[in-house]
Amino acid sequence: MNELLMLSIIVIIYLFLTGYVGYVAWRRTKTADDYMVAGRETHPFIMALSYGATFISTAAIVGFGGVSGVYGMGLLWLTFLNILVGIFIAFVFFGKRTRKMGHNLGALTFPEFLSKRFDSKFIQYFSGLVIFLGMTLYASVVLIGMARFAETTLSIDYSVALIVLAVIVALYVIFGGIRGVMYTDALQGSIMFIGMFILLVATYWMLGGVEHANQALTNLVNIVPADATAKATATGFTGWTSMPALGSPFWWTLVSTLILGVGIGVLSQPQLVVRFMTVKSNRELNRAVLVGGIFILLMTGTAFIVGALSNLYFFDTAGKLAIQVVNGNADKIIPAFITAAMPLWFAYIFMITLLSAAMSTLSAQIHTQGTALGRDIYETLTKKTGGAASVYIARLGIAIAMIIAVIMGFILPPNIIAVGTSMWFSITAAAFLSMYVFALFWKGCTKAGAISGLVVGTFLSFFWLILEFQKSAEALGIVKALTGSAVLVPSLPWPTVDPIIISLPIAFVVTVVVSLLTKKPSKEHMEQCFNGVGK
Amino acid sequence: MVLGINDPWIWGAYIGCILVTLLCVIYGILNWNKGGEDEEGQVKEEVKWHKKEKEMEEDELGLWDEHDA
C-alpha cells in the first residue's frame, strides 16, 4: 500500500510539472501563428525533443519492444531507418525546404502547406478530412494504452483513468496550443531520455556487458527446448540475433510493415512535419539533428535490445522464454522484465517514462486534429479565415477530437493498439508522401498530378486495409461477413504485405504521369514557393 | 562475429544504428552555427548594398571634386 502511495505521489508531481509547463506556454500564446506554429521561433532543443517524443509513443517502446522479445534484434533495422530517414533525411532534406517554403506561403498546418503549394483548396479540406478521421483511431489507441497502463500500475478504474488523462492533456493543448504541446513534450522527452538510458546501461551491466550478453543470446537458441520456439519457428524465426527466413510471414511483417511502413511513413506524418515550420532558421534544424539522432537511438534501440535480451534474463532466472513468462502476450514482455529485473525505484521512473511517451504523442495528435478540423476543413469550406476566430475554432476542434477519442476508448476492442498505429502510418504515407516529396523537389508537379496521387493513394490504402491486409481486415471483419474468408486473396504473401508496398508506388506513378500530361503551374507561383529554398 | 552476434544482417543493423547516430552528431556539430536567421542574412545584404552605393556615390563625388578642382 505504501508503494502505491509513493507511486501516486510521483505521478501527481509529474502531472503538476506538466501542468505548470502548459501554463507557461499558455501565457506566451497570443496569435494564430503562436497557436499553430509557435510564432516560428522554437528553440532547437525543444524542437528536437518534441519531434522525438511525438514520434516515439508507448507502442514503440512497449509494443515493438515486446515484438523484439519474440523475434529478436532484426528490429534494429527499424531503429536504423528511424534515425536515418526519420531524423537525418527528414531534417536535412525535407525539414529545411518545408520550413522555408512554409514561410514563403504563410502556411500554418501541413494540409495548408500542400494546398498553397499546389494552389488547390480541395487538397486542404480533403487532407484535413483524412487526418481528422485517420487520426481519430491513432489518437484513441494511444489514449487506450495510457489508460490501461494507469489501470494496471496505479489500480485506478479504466474509465476514470481514461477521462482524467484525457482532460489533463486536452486542457494544456486547448489553452497552450502548439507551445503547450512542445514545451510539455520537451519535459516528457527529457524524462524518457533518462529512463531509457538507465534501462539500457542497467540491462547490459546485469547480463555481463555488451559482448558477453549478445553472445549468450546468440547461443540461447541452441539451448532452449525446440517446442518452446516451435510456433515462432513456423513463421520464420531463426534466433534472437539472426534475421527471420527470407520470404516467411514474419520476414514480410518485419520488412514491409515495421521497417518500410513505419520507417518511411514517418516522413509524411502531419504532426511531425508541422514542427519544421516552428523554427526560425536552418541553424535550429542543424542543431536539432544532433539531439534527435541520439534521442531516437536511445528510445527504440534500447527497447529492441532490451526486449531481445529479456529472454536471457528469464531463461537464467526462471528457465522460461520471455513470451512464456507473459503467457503469450508480447505487450507484457517489457513491463514484466522491468518488474522482475529492476529495482522498485526504477520501475516507478519507467512508469513515468511510459506516461510521458503516451502524453507527448497524444497531445500532438489532438492538436493536429484540432487544426485540421478548424483551419483546414471549417475555414476552407466556409471561407472565414484568420485571426482570433481561427484559434477559437481550432480549440473547439481539439475538444471535439478528444471527446471522440474518449468515446472510442470505450468502444474499441482490446487488441487494437498495434493495428491502429500501423494503419495510420500506411494511410498517411500513401495519401501524402508522393505529393509532399514532389512539392519540395519537383517544380513540374502539377495541381492535377498532386490531387490524383492524393486520392488514388488514400483510397487504395483504405481498400487494402479493409479487404486484403490480414491484421486490419480480420479486426474489421467486413470481408468475413461478405465472403466467409478473412481476406479477399488468401494466398501468401498478400495478406501479410503492408498497404504501403501497394499504394505508395502506385500513388507516385499516378502523380508523375498526370503531372506530365497536365498544364504546368505559373512561373510566378513557383518563384514565390521556391524563393530561397534549397540555399 | 561482431559484438557477440554471428549474423552480419544483425550486427550490421547494430553497428549501423550507432554509425547513423554518429552521422547526426557530426552533422550537428559541423553545422552548429550555419544557416542562421534569414532576416540576419537579408539585413547584411542590405547593409552591403547601402555601403556599395555610398562608395559609388563618394567615388563619383570624388571624381566630381577633382574635376572641379
Side-chain angles (χ1 to χ4, degrees):
Chain A
M1 196 60 216
N2 272 340
E3 288 167 10
L4 187 62
L5 185 71
M6 200 173 132
L7 180 58
S8 307
I9 291 171
I10 295 175
V11 172
I12 288 168
I13 293 174
Y14 161 75
L15 291 177
F16 178 78
L17 270 177
T18 306
Y20 176 73
V21 172
Y23 171 76
V24 171
W26 172 64
R27 292 293 303 269
R28 292 185 187 174
T29 297
K30 303 276 186 293
T31 64
D33 258 28
D34 281 340
Y35 198 79
M36 295 185 197
V37 290
R40 303 187 200 272
E41 51 179 27
T42 307
H43 191 276
F45 184 74
I46 291 182
M47 188 274 173
L49 277 185
S50 167
Y51 184 97
T54 301
F55 188 176
I56 303 302
S57 66
T58 324
I61 298 173
V62 174
F64 289 29
V67 171
S68 86
V70 180
Y71 290 100
M73 290 190 185
L75 267 180
L76 282 174
W77 282 112
L78 178 58
T79 304
F80 178 81
L81 276 190
N82 283 159
I83 303 168
L84 182 68
V85 179
I87 299 291
F88 192 78
I89 293 177
F91 281 45
V92 176
F93 298 104
F94 284 66
K96 289 179 180 175
R97 283 172 176 257
T98 307
R99 186 196 67 76
K100 187 66 190 164
M101 206 180 274
H103 196 80
N104 288 346
L105 297 168
L108 299 181
T109 65
F110 182 51
E112 189 177 7
F113 170 82
L114 295 170
S115 132
K116 287 191 167 165
R117 167 66 178 78
F118 290 112
D119 193 24
S120 154
K121 287 283 172 203
F122 170 80
I123 290 181
Q124 189 165 0
Y125 61 78
F126 187 84
S127 308
L129 202 66
V130 171
I131 291 171
F132 189 79
L133 294 178
M135 220 176 216
T136 300
L137 181 67
Y138 183 32
S140 61
V141 298
V142 172
L143 182 64
I144 292 171
M146 197 156 83
R148 287 277 172 227
F149 152 80
E151 183 190 31
T152 46
T153 55
L154 297 172
S155 316
I156 301 173
D157 180 60
Y158 172 75
S159 320
V160 175
L162 196 71
I163 292 167
V164 169
L165 290 168
V167 168
I168 293 171
V169 175
L171 276 180
Y172 71 73
V173 181
I174 288 174
F175 289 103
I178 196 141
R179 265 192 230 270
V181 173
M182 291 181 81
Y183 288 11
T184 50
D185 280 356
L187 169 74
Q188 289 152 351
S190 308
I191 295 170
M192 290 160 73
F193 194 91
I194 296 167
M196 295 307 273
F197 180 73
I198 298 175
L199 179 62
L200 182 67
V201 174
T203 304
Y204 266 132
W205 183 73
M206 196 172 63
L207 296 171
V210 176
E211 198 158 352
H212 185 268
N214 290 350
Q215 177 76 63
L217 187 66
T218 305
N219 299 339
L220 187 66
V221 73
N222 304 318
I223 301 170
V224 295
D227 60 316
T229 54
K231 209 174 146 194
T233 309
T235 54
F237 175 80
T238 59
W240 291 278
T241 61
S242 49
M243 282 296 272
L246 188 75
S248 62
F250 179 63
W251 186 89
W252 272 104
T253 308
L254 181 76
V255 174
S256 76
T257 302
L258 300 176
I259 296 179
L260 292 177
V262 182
I264 295 185
V266 65
L267 283 174
S268 54
Q269 290 287 299
Q271 75 279 24
L272 297 179
V273 172
V274 77
R275 276 158 179 66
F276 298 137
M277 299 196 257
T278 65
V279 292
K280 195 155 54 175
S281 72
N282 287 346
R283 187 181 63 191
E284 278 69 29
L285 290 173
N286 287 336
R287 294 179 178 183
V289 167
L290 186 149
V291 184
I294 301 173
F295 184 83
I296 301 297
L297 177 72
L298 262 184
M299 290 302 119
T300 61
T302 301
F304 303 159
I305 290 171
V306 170
L309 287 173
S310 70
N311 287 294
L312 200 57
Y313 173 82
F314 285 124
F315 195 75
D316 285 348
T317 53
K320 285 180 179 177
L321 295 179
I323 194 73
Q324 294 171 313
V325 172
V326 295
N327 298 321
N329 186 351
D331 284 350
K332 289 186 177 164
I333 290 180
I334 296 279
F337 173 72
I338 290 189
T339 317
M342 296 286 152
L344 193 63
W345 65 265
F346 181 74
Y348 292 162
I349 289 187
F350 191 72
M351 283 169 194
I352 300 295
T353 302
L354 290 187
L355 198 58
S356 297
M359 285 173 78
S360 55
T361 304
L362 181 64
S363 62
Q365 290 168 324
I366 60 163
H367 182 269
T368 308
Q369 275 186 289
T371 55
L373 187 67
R375 187 158 181 97
D376 301 323
I377 301 172
Y378 177 81
E379 284 188 19
T380 318
L381 292 180
T382 58
K383 298 190 176 73
K384 288 178 192 165
T385 47
S390 185
V391 174
Y392 174 74
I393 294 159
R395 282 186 166 145
L396 204 66
I398 292 166
I400 293 170
M402 195 51 121
I403 290 167
I404 296 176
V406 171
I407 293 171
M408 288 184 70
F410 286 109
I411 300 172
L412 289 173
N415 56 353
I416 195 80
I417 296 179
V419 180
T421 306
S422 58
M423 276 172 79
W424 162 256
F425 272 80
S426 301
I427 294 170
T428 42
F432 306 131
L433 193 55
S434 63
M435 174 168 63
Y436 180 45
V437 169
F438 292 136
L440 297 176
F441 296 98
W442 187 32
K443 287 181 183 169
C445 183
T446 66
K447 176 176 168 174
I451 291 175
S452 335
L454 169 68
V455 173
V456 168
T458 306
F459 285 104
L460 257 182
S461 61
F462 266 115
F463 283 131
W464 195 266
L465 282 166
I466 294 167
L467 304 177
E468 184 57 42
F469 190 51
Q470 190 154 8
K471 279 183 194 158
S472 51
E474 234 170 34
L476 295 167
I478 295 170
V479 185
K480 183 99 186 156
L482 293 175
T483 67
S485 128
V487 295
L488 216 55
V489 183
S491 59
L492 282 172
W494 301 114
T496 55
V497 174
D498 194 85
I500 196 170
I501 303 285
I502 307 295
S503 47
L504 185 61
I506 295 179
F508 262 95
V509 170
V510 168
T511 312
V512 173
V513 170
V514 176
S515 289
L516 292 174
L517 296 174
T518 46
K519 195 174 148 265
K520 297 277 168 281
S522 77
K523 215 171 174 186
E524 297 79 55
H525 181 62
M526 281 301 109
E527 271 166 15
Q528 191 204 347
C529 293
F530 282 87
N531 177 30
V533 170
K535 280 176 190 163
Chain B
M1 177 168 309
V2 177
L3 293 169
I5 300 166
N6 282 325
D7 188 347
W9 279 98
I10 305 293
W11 65 251
Y14 201 108
I15 302 283
C17 291
I18 296 168
L19 288 180
V20 80
T21 306
L22 276 179
L23 173 74
C24 290
V25 171
I26 292 167
Y27 182 88
I29 292 172
L30 289 180
N31 294 290
W32 192 258
N33 279 318
K34 287 186 188 155
E37 272 175 66
D38 287 356
E39 295 98 276
E40 220 174 74
Q42 277 167 9
V43 168
K44 262 186 197 161
E45 242 169 52
E46 238 162 80
V47 169
K48 220 167 136 187
W49 186 78
H50 271 289
K51 237 182 176 174
K52 222 175 174 183
E53 206 181 44
K54 217 178 165 189
E55 272 172 17
M56 275 162 70
E57 265 176 24
E58 274 172 5
D59 277 357
E60 279 170 22
L61 283 174
L63 278 173
W64 187 257
D65 285 343
E66 265 175 23
H67 264 280
D68 242 13

